[in-house]
Amino acid sequence: MATTTLVKGARSTRSTIALKLLMAVSGIIFIGFVLLHMYGNLKAFAGHDAYNEYAEHLRTIGEPMLPHSGLLWVIRLVLIVALVVHVYSAAALWKRAKRARTVRYQVKKNLASSFSSRMMRWGGLTLLLFIIWHLLNFTVGKVNVQGGPTNDPYNLLVDSFDTWWLTLIYLVAMAALGLHLHHGVWSSAQTLGLTNNAKARRNAKGLGWIIAVLIAGGFSLVPIFVLAGVITK
């Protein structure tokens, strides 16, 4: 019985490590994507034509080797797979942690953990819901909340963020993204064995803050400046 228990325990440990590795790798893919996406969004500061030229350029990269929008679909497929892997791994790890928790604490909180780590699960759910809406708003459905046309990327962006409640939703999502990135970078570095000493841990935490502020802050600039009337049609 003891041997069987040890074997099951070893398998469970290996499986948990594999799930954490999958989360780390899929998370790194998303970090790379959101950095590029943020850079593209900032093209809005250059005006209507520059932004729309950038949007069209994304659809022509790789031609004629790839069909029109071919690279975009490759990127979308990679992101869909990464999202499924990330969400599945997170759910599986959460279920395992819940089963392993034999004693429930009603009041006691883990003061040693950071706020971003405690918000990881709810922040992830918030981001998942936001991604669905974001795709409906700008990619799949192209919903213009002001009732205007949707065939002009720049004007659709301005119409969307000129609506205060939509900008508020976006900024809340960016706050959740910042917290998620902050803890996610640290967790990924830990999973990949990059936090083996005090200096490495400080570097991982610092990198987490830099990436979180850079990406969440960069994404927040466009909606704020649209709502302020700086970026206009």
Side-chain angles (χ1 to χ4, degrees), residues 146-218:
Q146 294 195 21
T150 60
N151 58 351
D152 187 296
Y154 179 86
N155 288 339
L156 177 59
L157 177 142
V158 173
D159 282 345
S160 297
F161 293 135
D162 202 29
T163 306
W164 72 267
W165 58 265
L166 190 53
T167 292
L168 181 60
I169 290 173
Y170 193 91
L171 293 178
V172 169
M174 291 307 101
L177 176 62
L179 291 173
H180 205 76
L181 286 169
H182 172 242
H183 183 69
V185 170
W186 160 257
S187 183
S188 296
Q190 193 174 38
T191 299
L192 297 172
L194 303 176
T195 58
N196 294 327
N197 56 65
K199 183 179 179 181
R201 288 190 288 273
R202 285 195 303 272
N203 290 341
K205 289 180 180 179
L207 181 62
W209 276 117
I210 291 171
I211 290 177
V213 172
L214 175 65
I215 293 177

Side-chain angles (χ1 to χ4, degrees), residues 6 11 14 20 31 36 40 43 55-56 63-64 68-69 81 83 86-87 92 98 100 154 168-169 177 184 193 202 229:
L6 287 172
R11 288 175 180 171
R14 288 197 296 270
K20 289 183 176 181
I31 288 173
L36 292 174
K43 287 284 186 179
E56 180 59 25
E63 290 183 1
H68 189 71
S69 297
V81 172
L83 180 63
H86 202 75
V87 172
K98 191 176 181 181
Y154 179 86
L168 181 60
I169 290 173
L177 176 62
R202 285 195 303 272

Side-chain angles (χ1 to χ4, degrees), residues 92 94-102:
W94 175 72
K95 287 180 180 178
R96 291 186 182 193
K98 191 176 181 181
R99 283 199 301 265
R101 196 181 300 122
T102 57

Side-chain angles (χ1 to χ4, degrees), residues 59 76 133-145 148-153 156:
R59 289 161 175 77
R76 286 166 181 165
W133 162 247
H134 193 62
L135 290 173
L136 291 173
N137 189 185
F138 291 108
T139 304
V140 179
K142 292 189 177 181
V143 176
N144 190 323
V145 294
T150 60
N151 58 351
D152 187 296
L156 177 59

Side-chain angles (χ1 to χ4, degrees), residues 22-156:
L22 286 172
M23 280 202 74
V25 172
S26 58
I28 291 170
I29 290 172
F30 279 118
I31 288 173
F33 169 74
V34 293
L35 274 170
L36 292 174
H37 187 25
M38 180 202 70
Y39 168 78
N41 274 17
L42 294 177
K43 287 284 186 179
F45 283 99
H48 176 276
D49 292 345
Y51 186 83
N52 282 358
E53 285 173 10
Y54 162 77
E56 180 59 25
H57 179 65
L58 291 177
R59 289 161 175 77
T60 60
I61 295 176
E63 290 183 1
M65 182 177 294
L66 293 174
H68 189 71
S69 297
L71 182 61
L72 269 182
W73 279 108
V74 171
I75 293 172
R76 286 166 181 165
L77 288 173
V78 170
L79 290 174
I80 289 170
V81 172
L83 180 63
V84 171
V85 168
H86 202 75
V87 172
Y88 170 79
S89 300
L93 289 169
W94 175 72
K95 287 180 180 178
R96 291 186 182 193
K98 191 176 181 181
R99 283 199 301 265
R101 196 181 300 122
T102 57
V103 180
R104 289 185 175 273
Y105 298 90
Q106 294 180 350
V107 180
K108 185 178 178 181
K109 294 182 179 179
N110 184 4
L111 299 177
S113 62
S114 65
F115 177 73
S116 56
S117 67
R118 295 195 295 273
M119 288 295 294
M120 200 67 174
R121 189 177 305 127
W122 292 110
L125 180 59
T126 299
L127 288 173
L128 181 59
L129 294 173
F130 172 74
I131 288 169
I132 294 171
W133 162 247
H134 193 62
L135 290 173
L136 291 173
N137 189 185
F138 291 108
T139 304
V140 179
K142 292 189 177 181
V143 176
N144 190 323
V145 294
Q146 294 195 21
T150 60
N151 58 351
D152 187 296
Y154 179 86
N155 288 339
L156 177 59

